[in-house]
Amino acid sequence: MSEFKVANCTMGLCVCGCSKQTDKLNTYDWLADLPDNAKATDLVEVQFKPPRKGYFINSNGLSLEKGDIVAVEASPGHDIGTVTMTGRLVHLQIKKANLRPDVELKRIYRKARPVDMDKFAEAKAREHETMIESRQIANELGLKMKIGDVEYQGDGNKAIFYYIADDRVDFRQLIKVLADRFHVRIEMKQIGARQEAGRIGGIGPCGRELCCATWMTRFVSVSTSAARFQDLSLNPQKLAGQCAKLKCCMNYEVDQYVESLKRLPSREITLQTMDNEYFFFKADILTKRITYSTDKHILVGEQTITAKRAFEIINMNREGKKPMSLAEDADAAAEVRSVDLLDQDNINRFDNAKKKKKKKKHNGGVNNQNVAAGKNEGNANNNGNNSNNNSNNNSNNNSNNNSHNGGNNNNGNGNNNANHNKRNGGNHHNRNNGNRNYNNNNGNRNNNNNNG
């Protein structure tokens, strides 16, 4: 092979192999930068109104590249399409499309001329109006069908009507009426709901463009068993796509879930321990963690263990042994929760931290107030206890002194009265019963003057 220089753009992608992002079912030709790739075969892939594609022979040896608009053979007349692939990968695309090798392929006439493009634009401008009017005609004829799309041929001599119907429809009369009304050759093609969604296009619940509108060409039947294997909620609103059928993406990972389920114990097996019998409640299939409950219908006494531990307990039960608990040890580690890696790009990821800090501060202040209040209550209780003790001691001393002296004791009354009389200049007189009062604390005898 002769020396050549690979003319790639950044990130290792060849410009010649890229398609427009607006094209449905676009493909990247990763062999486009190889020398003599276009001359390796004369087969060419041509795309018409998405998602219809066709494969043609470049019998005239035209120099074609990806994106060229060409006029191809049709019956009758010619059609206008866009070249989407040339070279060695066309054989793989034909194999992917399940075309039989004995099928005779049509030819590419020429690159499109300005006259061809004018006719093509006029034909495309009539498609929407034709679809609306054809729906009204089908409704007047009482046909239980829905015309979902209309595609005119490039020269305007033929129109393809795509329709949806649950049952078989006799549209012979419809074809006659449409041919008399639009003066073109009529072709009817029945499609399903998924094909209709692919032709219309849209955004799925995952945020990306619909698979049927971008890359999917085969539509495999989807059943509710795929949802059961993956432990999905059997909610029709969540399981249905924009075509009102079960989502095709449910089949993408069902094989992996089926293989993982083989490594988990049966849901019918119960686990026996020394204190309880545990029933299967739910399972995280990919992480191989199983949740058991002591009740068969509701979650009571939740215990989450690994599949390995579950098999160990099953083998112990078969031998007639029962463990103390489902956990491997008494101090079982807390369940490890999965972390959402996309949460780090969330613009509100700092709001929760601020709210938690505010809550902690608020709770801390309340706790400090409670602690201070508790201390004050404790001091008050201590003071009350001390005062009660002092009063009890004084009462005891007074009772003892009264019994010893045979009189009434007033602690501190004599001193208080004397001081009171001195402050008032002797104007006020304190009369006593003539008894002598003794102060037990100081041990001094205080006599009160009787001023008569």
Side-chain angles (χ1 to χ4, degrees):
M1 182 180 292
S2 61
E3 296 182 358
F4 65 96
K5 183 178 181 181
V6 179
N8 283 351
C9 61
T10 56
M11 301 301 295
L13 296 179
C14 178
V15 177
C16 298
C18 297
S19 302
K20 293 181 180 179
Q21 293 299 321
T22 56
D23 293 341
K24 296 180 180 179
L25 300 179
N26 56 355
T27 53
Y28 173 72
D29 189 0
W30 46 276
L31 297 178
D33 56 350
L34 294 180
D36 300 332
N37 179 60
K39 298 179 181 180
T41 179
D42 56 353
L43 298 179
V44 180
E45 182 186 66
V46 179
Q47 183 171 8
F48 304 98
K49 186 175 182 178
R52 185 168 71 95
K53 284 185 177 182
Y55 299 92
F56 300 87
I57 299 176
N58 185 10
S59 58
N60 297 327
L62 301 174
S63 177
L64 300 178
E65 294 181 356
K66 205 168 189 178
D68 290 341
I69 301 176
V70 294
V72 299
E73 180 183 359
S75 57
H78 69 273
D79 203 352
I80 303 297
T82 305
V83 176
T84 55
M85 184 172 292
T86 60
R88 298 177 175 88
L89 287 184
V90 180
H91 290 284
L92 297 179
Q93 291 292 98
I94 293 176
K95 185 178 180 180
K96 181 181 178 182
N98 290 330
L99 292 180
R100 292 180 300 177
D102 57 344
V103 174
E104 183 179 356
L105 300 178
K106 297 180 180 180
R107 299 177 299 158
I108 296 178
Y109 288 148
R110 61 185 179 273
K111 290 187 177 181
R113 301 169 183 172
V115 179
D116 299 330
M117 297 304 298
D118 292 339
K119 290 183 179 180
F120 179 69
E122 291 177 3
K124 292 298 177 183
R126 291 185 293 167
E127 288 181 350
H128 183 72
E129 182 181 355
T130 303
M131 181 185 67
I132 299 301
E133 192 170 352
S134 62
R135 287 180 178 179
Q136 296 175 355
I137 295 173
N139 190 20
E140 292 174 358
L141 295 176
L143 300 178
K144 295 182 179 180
M145 59 184 296
K146 174 189 174 184
I147 298 178
D149 195 10
V150 176
E151 180 183 1
Y152 271 93
Q153 196 170 272
D155 56 2
N157 295 328
K158 179 181 175 181
I160 303 175
F161 290 80
Y162 298 93
Y163 71 95
I164 303 171
D166 295 332
D167 300 326
R168 186 175 180 180
V169 180
D170 185 5
F171 45 76
R172 288 178 293 181
Q173 182 65 27
L174 177 63
I175 292 176
K176 294 179 181 180
V177 176
L178 293 178
D180 294 338
R181 172 65 184 83
F182 301 110
H183 305 287
V184 293
R185 184 175 178 178
I186 305 299
E187 181 179 350
M188 304 293 293
K189 282 190 177 182
Q190 185 175 3
I191 60 175
R194 291 186 173 92
Q195 285 87 344
E196 183 191 19
R199 298 187 70 87
I200 297 173
I203 304 299
C206 58
R208 303 188 63 179
E209 195 174 355
L210 296 179
C211 298
C212 54
T214 52
W215 60 270
M216 183 178 290
T217 56
R218 298 182 185 178
F219 296 94
V220 183
S221 61
V222 184
S223 62
T224 55
S225 60
R228 293 190 181 97
F229 283 129
Q230 301 176 61
D231 277 345
L232 299 178
S233 175
L234 299 179
N235 187 353
Q237 296 180 353
K238 293 184 178 180
L239 296 181
Q242 294 190 4
C243 57
K245 302 292 184 180
L246 293 176
K247 295 178 182 177
C248 298
C249 56
M250 291 172 55
N251 282 342
Y252 295 168
E253 299 178 353
V254 65
D255 294 335
Q256 182 178 358
Y257 276 88
V258 171
E259 291 296 327
S260 298
L261 281 173
K262 295 179 181 178
R263 300 180 179 90
L264 297 180
S266 175
R267 302 187 177 191
E268 305 298 329
I269 299 178
T270 60
L271 304 184
Q272 303 285 341
T273 60
M274 297 294 292
D275 53 352
N276 263 321
E277 181 182 6
Y278 289 88
F279 301 90
F280 176 89
F281 187 76
K282 65 178 182 178
D284 192 342
I285 300 175
L286 298 182
T287 59
K288 299 179 182 178
R289 298 185 67 84
I290 311 171
T291 301
Y292 286 92
S293 171
T294 55
D295 192 275
K296 195 173 184 178
H297 304 287
I298 60 175
L299 185 61
V300 178
E302 176 185 0
Q303 290 287 339
T304 302
I305 59 175
T306 60
K308 181 180 178 181
R309 176 59 178 171
F311 281 117
E312 291 178 359
I313 297 176
I314 291 173
N315 294 331
M316 292 175 65
N317 294 154
R318 289 176 179 174
E319 296 175 358
K321 301 177 182 179
K322 294 182 180 180
M324 294 297 296
S325 63
L326 293 186
E328 295 183 4
D329 52 4
D331 300 329
E335 181 180 358
V336 179
R337 296 182 180 181
S338 59
V339 179
D340 188 4
L341 298 179
L342 298 179
D343 192 49
Q344 60 185 359
D345 296 332
N346 188 5
I347 59 175
N348 300 323
R349 62 186 181 275
F350 298 113
D351 295 344
N352 295 330
K354 291 181 180 179
K355 290 181 181 179
K356 289 180 180 179
K357 288 182 180 179
K358 289 181 180 179
K359 288 182 180 180
K360 286 182 180 180
K361 289 181 180 180
H362 179 70
N363 294 332
V366 173
N367 293 331
N368 292 332
Q369 292 177 2
N370 294 333
V371 172
K375 289 182 179 180
N376 293 331
E377 291 178 359
N379 293 332
N381 293 331
N382 292 332
N383 293 332
N385 294 330
N386 293 333
S387 61
N388 292 331
N389 293 330
N390 292 332
S391 61
N392 292 332
N393 293 331
N394 291 334
S395 61
N396 292 331
N397 292 331
N398 290 333
S399 61
N400 292 331
N401 291 329
N402 289 334
S403 62
H404 182 267
N405 297 324
N408 295 325
N409 295 328
N410 295 323
N411 296 330
N413 289 334
N415 293 331
N416 291 333
N417 291 332
N419 293 331
H420 183 67
N421 291 333
K422 288 180 182 179
R423 280 194 225 103
N424 295 323
N427 293 328
H428 298 282
H429 304 283
N430 185 18
R431 290 188 178 183
N432 237 348
N433 295 327
N435 297 325
R436 293 179 179 177
N437 297 327
Y438 298 94
N439 191 350
N440 295 324
N441 295 328
N442 298 325
N444 297 325
R445 183 180 296 174
N446 298 324
N447 297 323
N448 293 326
N449 295 326
N450 296 325
N451 294 324

